[in-house]
Amino acid sequence: APILEAWGQISWTGEVTAGFSTTFTCSSSCFPNCIYTWSFNGRTAIGSTLTWTPDGLDKTVELQCSVLHLETGDSSSMTSTVEIKNRVSVQISPSNAVPTLNQPLDLVCHEATSGVLSGPSHLVNQVVWYKDGQKVTLRENMQLLQNTSLHFDSLLPSDAGFYQCETSVSTVQQTSVFSLGYLLSFDPWNVIVSGPDTVFPGRLSKFTCLTSCTLNVDCTVKWQFRGGFPIGTYFSVHENELKWTPSIPGTFQNLTCVAENAAVGRSAEATKMVEVKG
């Protein structure tokens, strides 16, 4: 009997925001004795509802709900792409500053609703800074200001990179949130592919094409796979984000991101070689 073919949907209320929990509901015409299974970002959960708090590391997530009717063995699945808002970002101060070698600069962990992370706010004044995915180690030319700003006395070439801040949201429980990032660059057309150098079969990994040109304004990005398309059990590309679950150990994969503006004939690219370990 086509029990599951009538209808099914994934629903939720309001915006999905990093640091705040959202309850998703999977509805179908399956009744009774039905098992609902959620799949997202390599994780699974059982039940017709899923309560999830995004951490800010993803702009979008594909949420899949599968329904199994125990008596007939019929199954069906549905997928929704969830866009995740992030109120926390890294901004430069002053906002009109242009990063220049040998000049000072402040990076500020900023929260959209209440401004800089200071004073009364649901964001706790404890900030951890990351550069290219690694915790920032303060050097002689750097210092923390008011626990929310990363100050450079004099910018060095080695200071270039992708900066994020991590902070805590005071909701019902302390939830860690990673900010939108800022690519500190001394070249207006700098491109970096961020993500792990080593991945593992069966484990989801995420890669991001970071550009200092403004996406969909100054430039567009596209991914290229020179030497072969990534082989695996899951693969998706959404603008500058690439997600991949590899399946063959002992191989290498080149991921190339090209940023270009066809109208002015300008482009830049970056390639990351990724090893699939056994």
Side-chain angles (χ1 to χ4, degrees), residues 93-107:
S93 179
S95 59
N96 61 349
V98 176
T100 306
L101 287 171
N102 304 317
Q103 295 296 312
L105 185 77
D106 285 0
L107 297 181

Side-chain angles (χ1 to χ4, degrees), residues 167-232:
T167 186
S168 297
V169 178
S170 290
T171 51
V172 178
Q173 58 184 12
Q174 291 291 326
T175 306
S176 184
V177 176
F178 289 87
S179 71
L180 299 172
Y182 176 79
L183 183 60
L184 177 58
S185 170
F186 307 110
D187 178 353
W189 275 69
N190 194 22
V191 180
I192 297 173
V193 177
S194 76
D197 296 323
T198 303
V199 297
F200 298 90
R203 187 184 302 176
L204 183 72
S205 294
K206 187 184 83 167
F207 301 88
T208 307
C209 180
L210 306 169
T211 63
S212 49
C213 52
T214 305
L215 277 184
N216 301 321
V217 178
D218 299 326
C219 61
T220 58
V221 298
K222 62 183 178 183
W223 292 91
Q224 296 181 351
F225 311 104
R226 300 160 189 171
F229 195 83
I231 297 173

Side-chain angles (χ1 to χ4, degrees), residues 255-273:
L255 306 175
T256 299
C257 174
V258 180
E260 62 181 356
N261 185 325
V264 299
R266 185 165 188 190
S267 68
E269 67 177 49
T271 298
K272 175 183 277 289
M273 177 181 281

